[in-house]
Amino acid sequence: MAEPQTRRAPTQKRSRERVDAILANATDMIAQAGSDALRMSELAQRTGISIGSLYQYFPDKSAVVHALAERCNAESRACIAEGLAAVGSMEALADAFGSLIDTYYAIFLAEPVIRDIWSAVQADGALRAMEVEESRRNGALLAARLRMLRPTADAARIEAAALLVMHLGEATMRLAVSVDRAEGDRLVAAYKRMAIRELTAL
């Protein structure tokens, strides 16, 4: 199934700036009232463009949410790649993975808009497919490092474990920020123990 995309690729500087302005205003609106309250007409008004111009870039609200989620995804992938780049042992992998989870949890706690964007993703079937694909990308980053550390281990098992660990990480974050802070902290700590145990057992 094709993912929602912007209709007009922002190839020129002015177009890129307009897309940035649209997404910045969408972020502000979601932060203020949640993604359910996001209206294309109000988004166009806030951005200072006509509704027709807005639709040239984003055909519907799902496309806006998709673009926002993809920006979050790109930042997460860069963070994961950087965090794993210098890992040279399973002990270092466990430390790096734990630090990545702590950082991601802190971001979820500090940025309510991110939580709302991911809630909108969960409510949209097409966007949920994007989340699975993102888990595969992140899992591939983790699997590549694991294969380097465990060259004789079964590659299929490594890939399955890496995908599952990354996908469950997203689910854990959503659950942790939906309960009280003390319980959320315990859930994240439990996830880290389980994930690290699985990874280091490969």
Side-chain angles (χ1 to χ4, degrees):
M1 179 181 295
E3 295 177 346
Q5 297 180 2
T6 56
R7 280 182 170 169
R8 175 188 291 176
T11 54
Q12 298 180 351
K13 182 174 182 292
R14 184 175 179 182
S15 293
R16 289 196 299 270
E17 290 174 347
R18 180 164 287 182
V19 167
D20 287 342
I22 292 168
L23 295 179
N25 281 301
T27 299
D28 289 342
M29 292 170 65
I30 291 172
Q32 292 167 9
S35 60
D36 288 343
L38 182 64
R39 299 289 179 268
M40 297 294 277
S41 57
E42 183 182 355
L43 178 56
Q45 183 178 20
R46 287 199 181 200
T47 310
I49 60 177
S50 68
I51 188 69
S53 293
L54 176 59
Y55 283 138
Q56 287 180 333
Y57 293 98
F58 298 98
D60 52 33
K61 186 171 77 171
S62 290
V64 175
V65 172
H66 177 276
L68 291 172
E70 187 52 49
R71 286 193 171 190
C72 294
N73 288 342
E75 292 174 3
S76 295
R77 284 196 301 274
C79 183
I80 292 167
E82 181 180 357
L84 297 178
V87 167
S89 69
M90 291 303 293
E91 292 78 11
L93 177 69
D95 290 341
F97 183 82
S99 295
L100 285 170
I101 295 303
D102 289 340
T103 298
Y104 204 44
Y105 183 39
I107 292 172
F108 262 71
L109 289 170
E111 300 290 344
V113 68
I114 294 178
R115 304 202 298 265
D116 204 274
I117 289 170
W118 285 112
S119 293
V121 168
Q122 291 300 302
D124 187 306
L127 295 182
R128 284 198 302 274
M130 178 195 70
E131 183 187 30
V132 173
E133 181 58 31
E134 186 60 22
S135 293
R136 292 189 185 282
R137 291 172 181 167
N138 292 335
L141 292 172
L142 179 57
R145 185 56 50 174
L146 285 165
R147 286 194 299 271
M148 186 199 77
L149 297 174
R150 292 285 192 265
T152 62
D154 182 77
R157 182 183 172 191
I158 285 177
E159 291 171 6
L163 170 59
L164 185 60
V165 162
M166 287 303 191
H167 196 68
L168 290 180
E170 292 282 357
T172 300
M173 293 302 117
R174 288 194 298 272
L175 177 59
V177 298
S178 68
V179 299
D180 68 72
R181 178 62 187 274
E183 185 177 11
D185 290 351
R186 291 193 296 271
L187 290 169
V188 171
Y191 165 73
K192 285 198 299 182
R193 288 193 300 271
M194 289 188 294
I196 290 171
R197 186 165 58 244
E198 173 64 22
L199 295 175
T200 54
L202 291 169

